[in-house]
Amino acid sequence: MKKNTPLIIDDIKAAATALSNDELVAIPTETVYGLAANAFSEKAIDKIYQTKNRPQTNPLIVHLHDVKELPKIAKTIPKEVELLAHHFWPGPLTIVLEKSDAISTKVTAGKNTVAVRVPNHQMTLALLRSLKFPLVAPSANKSNHISPTCPEHVYNSLGKDSPLILDGGTCTKGIESTIIGFKNNTPIIYRLGSISKEDLEAVLGTSVQLVTHEVSSIAPGMQKKHYAPRTPFITCTDMKVELEKYPNKKIGGLFFTGHPLAEQMTHYRVLSSTGAVEEAMANLYRMMHELDELGLDIIISELAPNQGVGASINDRLTRASS
Ligand code: TXA
Ligand code: MG
């Protein structure tokens, strides 16, 4: 539903003015909406942590308009980074690098590494080009809520703390960027996202290890309880079996693709009627938000096929269900 609030704007200049005054602005990207601040202003960065109720231990991603800006942010740039940037930027790949002195430890939560990406959204690229500084931007939701994929989600999650929201429509990718880093020159995925492991491996010409939250304190945002709806949420491999466990409950079904059982339910969503993983990914958070607003007793979700970005969808569904 369209929210009637003067906070949702399409004026890039007004957004730039607010950001230059150390205010926050929610910005559109191809993945999810970000809660942006001047990456060089500690005062502005503090506001991000306050507004989101974000633990100080969880570092932020720096957003640039061009790979040429990278030397200002990162000290050493491994040769694979040029290759990755060439293939995936602008786009949903975040790269973790040794930070430059210009980057405050407030951005990196005390680490000597910084996460950085060039987002693929024309409005936000135009905004970034008009600014004298890069932007830090975590997803524009309260900590542990589902990430926002349209301006209304931002407004609903941040409520009275909502800043100006630059309306760039619905996010086309629909889940966060994939995060990659290097350890002794070996690439490691810290977070699965809208670029698949297979696509990264094809470009790098080598297999890439996935370091999940259990073994990693490297991406502290990846604790298990994350991306969660408020309604109890579970995943299953057989919807029929799972439904039978909850008689007399108001159940919402989240199906990967069309299913005969869906027609018998009052509340359900289908991520992709043709079973296309990219489409399912783009619909995932919106449908989770929609089911979450129905006042159900429980949401039961099928898992996606575990290939390509299907694995990223399953990562989010599993985290939501903890
Ligand atoms: O798609 C995205 O990446 C979105 C849009 C707005 O760009 N942003 C986003 O930010 O998802 P956030 O804050 O919700 O997630 C940032 C993730 C966290 O898991 C954090 O731990 C990780 O990036 N991160 C940030 N700096 C890091 C670093 N130096 N090393 C490892 N992980 C880092
Ligand atoms: Mg987030």
Side-chain angles (χ1 to χ4, degrees), residues 31 54 58-59 63 113 117 138-139 176-177 179 191 218 220-221:
T31 59
R54 185 180 178 96
N58 193 357
H63 294 65
T113 56
R117 81 180 190 101
S139 51
E176 296 83 353
S177 60
I179 305 180
R191 175 175 75 182
I218 294 169

Side-chain angles (χ1 to χ4, degrees), residues 63-232:
H63 294 65
L64 307 175
H65 65 83
D66 196 294
V67 62
K68 290 195 194 94
E69 302 280 294
L70 201 51
K72 294 183 192 164
I73 308 302
K75 216 170 233 171
T76 42
I77 302 171
K79 63 175 180 353
E80 292 88 344
V81 170
E82 255 168 67
L83 182 69
L84 290 172
H86 176 76
H87 265 88
F88 294 111
W89 284 356
L93 183 69
T94 294
I95 308 179
V96 176
L97 296 166
E98 192 185 341
K99 82 170 190 68
S100 74
D101 296 337
I103 294 295
S104 158
T105 50
K106 287 227 181 207
V107 172
T108 68
K111 294 163 169 299
N112 61 3
T113 56
V114 62
V116 55
R117 81 180 190 101
V118 178
N120 190 14
H121 193 291
Q122 288 317 312
M123 225 170 173
T124 288
L125 288 172
L127 172 66
L128 282 164
R129 277 192 295 269
S130 78
L131 295 169
K132 292 195 175 69
F133 46 82
L135 294 172
V136 276
S139 51
N141 51 281
K142 292 277 181 188
S143 268
N144 294 336
H145 283 188
I146 310 167
S147 294
T149 57
C150 65
E152 290 74 24
H153 292 164
V154 177
Y155 188 73
N156 288 345
S157 180
L158 298 181
K160 64 171 177 37
D161 300 325
S162 186
L164 287 178
I165 303 167
L166 193 56
D167 186 353
T170 299
C171 302
T172 53
K173 293 290 177 185
I175 69 169
E176 296 83 353
S177 60
T178 297
I179 305 180
I180 193 168
F182 299 88
K183 199 170 181 191
N184 307 323
N185 292 321
T186 306
I188 297 168
I189 295 174
Y190 295 130
R191 175 175 75 182
L192 281 174
S194 44
I195 292 174
S196 69
K197 184 171 182 284
E198 291 90 330
D199 282 354
L200 281 171
E201 289 177 336
V203 168
L204 289 168
T206 167
S207 66
V208 182
Q209 205 194 334
L210 175 65
V211 181
T212 65
H213 63 275
E214 280 92 352
V215 286
S216 168
S217 59
I218 294 169
M222 301 308 291
Q223 315 106 337
K224 203 147 194 293
K225 184 78 185 161
H226 216 69
Y227 311 102
R230 288 156 220 179
T231 314

Side-chain angles (χ1 to χ4, degrees), residues 234-254:
I234 57 170
T235 59
C236 69
T237 42
D238 188 333
M239 189 64 98
K240 187 165 186 295
V241 171
E242 208 57 38
L243 285 175
E244 282 162 4
K245 293 186 194 163
Y246 301 94
N248 314 318
K249 291 275 184 207
K250 240 172 107 185
I251 303 175
L254 185 57

